[in-house]
Amino acid sequence: MRRRRCCCCLLLLLALLCEPGRGGEPGPGAVTCGSVLKLLNTRHNVRLHSHEVKYGSGSGQQSVTGVEASDDANSYWRIRGKNDDTCQRGTPVKCGQAIRLTHVNTGKNLHTHHFPSPLSNNQEVSAFGDDGEGDDLDIWTVQCSGTHWEREDAVRFKHIGTDVFLSITGEQYGHPIRGQREVHGMNSPNHHNYWMAMEGVFIKPSMDPAKHDEL
């Protein structure tokens, strides 16, 4: 009886390890390098957004906001590595990996620095650089619970240079971007800094770069 129970436990363990996404292997829904996606703040139900509107205070750089609309083309971001050699196209992004998020329509990187944000007085988050090239303050780590960043997981983005978390707490702008939410950096992990991958073009983890999922 004991031998049969041990065999059943071993078979169950092997079955779990063979499931996609278990045992360190990426699942079919892994977020991959080179993918273009929208990121939803799960607490406030708005998508990470940027546009050619500069802050009127602080750094004066291109502003980053949160928008409710799901179909806004200015909410697409490309997943890139700390440098392009560390994030080959189609490679699943690991939890703890350093990445850059490049705004597709303007070519600027998600960035933060020691300027106060205009509404909440947290840390300003901006879009910075040209054609995807900025500086070391464009680098964030993906914080998730497994081995790889899976599309269905809520994750956090922690800034390497200043240790803040990409966050939204609900403050709304007036003219000229009325109703859009302030995006900023916060010192502590909390329910305001969870994000989930939403619409996008996801490059499959394959040797064939032409394969992708469009959502």
Side-chain angles (χ1 to χ4, degrees):
M1 183 67 180
R2 182 178 297 173
R3 182 177 297 174
R4 182 179 299 174
R5 187 179 301 163
C6 290
C7 289
C8 289
C9 291
L10 180 60
L11 289 172
L12 178 61
L13 177 62
L14 289 172
L16 288 171
L17 289 174
C18 289
E19 287 184 16
R22 303 271 186 164
E25 292 298 320
V31 176
T32 54
C33 298
S35 292
V36 172
L37 50 73
K38 295 181 180 181
L39 291 166
L40 178 76
N41 183 279
T42 60
R43 174 69 175 180
H44 298 278
N45 200 37
V46 293
R47 286 161 174 78
L48 189 69
H49 179 90
S50 191
H51 39 222
E52 293 182 349
V53 177
K54 295 183 178 181
Y55 287 120
S57 61
S59 69
Q61 293 176 4
Q62 182 171 301
S63 60
V64 172
T65 63
V67 297
E68 293 181 350
S70 62
D71 58 352
D72 195 315
N74 272 324
S75 299
Y76 282 112
W77 301 83
R78 186 181 305 278
I79 307 295
R80 303 170 63 210
K82 182 177 179 181
N83 55 63
D84 290 334
D85 293 336
T86 61
C87 198
Q88 296 294 324
R89 181 180 171 91
T91 304
V93 177
K94 294 180 179 179
C95 295
Q97 183 171 337
I99 65 166
R100 289 176 291 173
L101 291 165
T102 302
H103 189 243
V104 172
N105 280 357
T106 63
K108 296 184 182 297
N109 296 327
L110 189 70
H111 179 96
T112 190
H113 39 212
H114 293 297
F115 285 93
S117 59
L119 302 182
S120 66
N121 206 39
N122 284 301
Q123 185 164 298
E124 182 191 276
V125 170
S126 65
F128 175 75
D130 293 297
D131 296 324
E133 297 306 319
D135 62 22
D136 289 344
L137 293 177
D138 301 340
I139 302 170
W140 305 75
T141 56
V142 181
Q143 294 200 336
C144 43
S145 57
T147 303
H148 296 89
W149 176 9
E150 301 288 341
R151 281 186 237 169
E152 66 272 17
D153 292 343
V155 305
R156 289 189 175 104
F157 299 101
K158 186 174 184 181
H159 190 243
I160 288 183
T162 63
D163 290 331
V164 298
F165 295 87
L166 184 68
S167 307
I168 291 178
T169 49
E171 296 83 5
Q172 295 189 27
Y173 287 104
H175 182 79
I177 50 175
R178 185 175 303 279
Q180 296 186 22
R181 311 295 176 85
E182 181 186 81
V183 174
H184 50 246
M186 298 184 75
N187 291 321
S188 60
N190 55 56
H191 54 278
H192 295 295
N193 37 57
Y194 276 118
W195 301 83
M196 184 174 289
M198 298 299 286
E199 306 84 2
V201 177
F202 295 87
I203 308 301
K204 289 186 176 179
S206 166
M207 294 301 291
D208 182 359
K211 293 184 177 180
H212 59 264
D213 287 342
E214 295 187 10
L215 298 180

